[in-house]
Amino acid sequence: KNEVEQSPQNLTAQEGEFITINCSYSVGISALHWLQQHPGGGIVSLFMLSSGKKKHGRLIATINIQEKHSSLHITASHPRDSAVYICAVLPGWYNNNDMRFGAGTRLTVKP
Amino acid sequence: EPEVTQTPSHQVTQMGQEVILRCVPISNHLYFYWYRQILGQKVEFLVSFYNNEISEKSEIFDDQFSVERPDGSNFTLKIRSTKLEDSAMYFCASSDHRGVGGYTFGSGTRLTVV
């Protein structure tokens, strides 16, 4: 069983739509990351969360530690948001750097 | 904004050859990582490095792999005798503290073993 599950696997939206990508995990964590991977392959870190909510521009990330669930929201989506969004967790046990990655959600935003 | 730089961006090598992938982490970061992503699959952790030694490694990181910080700026991943299944995108990342300050990823090296 995957420790990090993302849904949906693929998502197509029209420009301007509100997007939600979900991530569930099965291990105790010290932090959760949302990453963006562009078609060229490079990875950009969007958020690192250990509790609550963070906002950066049109992106909002939330986490519920008790439910082991996080969501990434994109408001007023734009074609340039098209990318693969990856949820990754850092297990919470001592000195563990073994980040566990979800399979990613491929987002396509059409003009 | 500070970047993690990886070279080369693409490398093609013959099976059995040694390859060295290079990374320049952010200068004031203390933790360094290598990950790989086989085409169509999810990203996987390989190794973390702190205080000039490996702090953690995954099952993938067997004796064919090694890492080194040969000077104050570079962080390298060596694959001694490449196999076809080593073909993947390899990402380097660094952080100022394990998870707390966030991670910065490099743009990756695409390794093709033929």
Side-chain angles (χ1 to χ4, degrees):
Chain A
K1 184 184 184 300
N2 290 328
E3 292 170 306
V4 182
E5 297 274 4
Q6 287 186 236
S7 63
Q9 192 173 359
N10 293 284
L11 181 57
T12 300
Q14 287 298 128
E15 184 173 355
E17 285 185 2
F18 181 83
I19 304 291
T20 295
I21 299 170
N22 295 299
C23 174
S24 296
Y25 52 91
S26 58
V27 296
I29 67 168
S30 61
L32 181 144
H33 293 253
W34 280 103
L35 310 171
Q36 182 189 53
Q37 186 170 32
H38 280 282
I43 292 175
V44 174
S45 178
L46 298 175
F47 294 104
M48 191 279 294
L49 292 163
S50 53
S51 64
K53 177 178 173 178
K54 285 191 176 179
K55 184 175 189 294
H56 185 257
R58 295 180 293 106
L59 302 177
I60 303 165
T62 63
I63 188 167
N64 185 317
I65 296 292
Q66 286 74 30
E67 295 186 1
K68 291 186 168 64
H69 182 268
S70 175
S71 293
L72 176 69
H73 305 285
I74 305 175
T75 61
S77 58
H78 190 277
R80 65 175 175 265
D81 297 325
S82 297
V84 175
Y85 292 83
I86 300 171
C87 172
V89 301
L90 205 54
W93 46 88
Y94 177 72
N95 205 32
N96 188 297
N97 295 298
D98 183 358
M99 193 180 286
R100 315 292 172 82
F101 294 80
T105 295
R106 183 175 299 278
L107 172 67
T108 303
V109 182
K110 295 185 174 179
Chain B
E1 188 163 332
E3 290 183 343
V4 172
T5 305
Q6 287 188 244
T7 55
S9 56
H10 293 89
Q11 179 148 4
V12 180
T13 189
Q14 295 261 341
M15 189 169 58
Q17 294 295 305
E18 174 183 285
V19 294
I20 298 176
L21 309 183
R22 302 180 191 279
C23 170
V24 179
I26 292 175
S27 60
N28 63 347
H29 281 184
L30 301 175
Y31 290 80
F32 314 114
Y33 314 89
W34 283 102
Y35 304 90
R36 81 171 185 190
Q37 186 178 33
I38 295 170
L39 186 64
Q41 299 186 20
K42 58 184 179 181
V43 180
E44 301 171 289
F45 168 79
L46 291 178
V47 66
S48 60
F49 193 86
Y50 171 71
N51 201 26
N52 284 319
E53 61 182 20
I54 291 173
S55 55
E56 193 158 7
K57 60 183 180 179
S58 71
E59 292 177 353
I60 303 167
F61 194 89
D62 61 21
D63 292 343
Q64 293 294 317
F65 292 89
S66 62
V67 289
E68 194 176 40
R69 189 156 163 79
D71 53 44
S73 61
N74 290 285
F75 179 51
T76 62
L77 174 70
K78 182 192 292 187
I79 309 175
R80 286 191 184 81
S81 178
T82 49
K83 303 187 281 283
L84 295 176
E85 53 264 38
D86 294 326
S87 295
M89 182 79 101
Y90 289 81
F91 293 101
C92 173
S94 67
S95 69
D96 57 358
H97 190 270
R98 185 185 147 266
V100 172
Y103 285 57
T104 302
F105 287 81
S107 54
T109 292
R110 185 171 298 283
L111 175 66
T112 303
V113 182
V114 296

